[in-house]
Amino acid sequence: MATAGVATSGCASFSYITQAYNGVPVQQVSTQYDTFRVFDKPTENRMMITSSLASAAAQGFTGGLLLNPTATASPKPIFEEAALAYLKQTGRNCKIMDGYLLVNPQWEFKYSCEVATSSINKT
């Protein structure tokens, strides 16, 4: 039963990713760890961050060799750093509110941004 639940949740995650991020333009951001792909939905204050294609393939290959995909699981702080770097790169003053592993190595982050205020003095 537990195996069926894990398999089902994986399928649900892929379905969610396809539905939520279909057609979202792919952006990139580089950090000390990797160049990440970013799927940003600013109107919904959320984004999906994933490793470069080469890194994702290497993680899958290594996990397969070890017969343990969790051995190559991507730590949340690395992806959160990429999310913050992307927000800064786009000129937004935002903070990460929460993050979820969708399917390794794809993380979704919800964020909140400060609204820019006008510097025009009203007299």
Side-chain angles (χ1 to χ4, degrees), residues 7-115:
T8 303
S9 69
C11 291
S13 294
F14 282 119
S15 176
Y16 170 77
I17 291 167
T18 302
Q19 290 175 357
Y21 291 97
N22 186 34
V24 175
V26 181
Q27 307 296 319
Q28 289 191 353
V29 66
S30 294
T31 70
Q32 63 181 332
Y33 300 106
D34 197 358
T35 297
F36 295 85
R37 293 175 294 150
V38 180
F39 300 80
D40 187 23
K41 297 184 86 172
T43 59
E44 297 177 22
N45 289 340
R46 66 183 167 125
M47 70 173 77
M48 181 175 66
I49 304 283
T50 184
S51 300
S52 65
L53 292 174
S55 292
Q59 287 173 343
F61 179 73
T62 303
L65 284 178
L66 298 173
L67 301 177
N68 182 3
T70 59
T72 59
S74 306
K76 180 180 179 181
I78 291 173
F79 286 78
E80 188 168 343
E81 180 180 313
L84 286 169
Y86 174 77
L87 291 166
K88 184 176 180 182
Q89 175 180 296
T90 61
R92 292 182 274 173
N93 184 16
C94 306
K95 54 185 158 177
I96 301 297
M97 304 308 289
D98 211 347
Y100 313 92
L101 179 63
L102 298 175
V103 175
N104 195 44
Q106 296 173 324
W107 285 84
E108 181 176 64
F109 292 96
K110 294 184 180 181
Y111 56 89
S112 176
C113 301
E114 289 184 14
V115 178

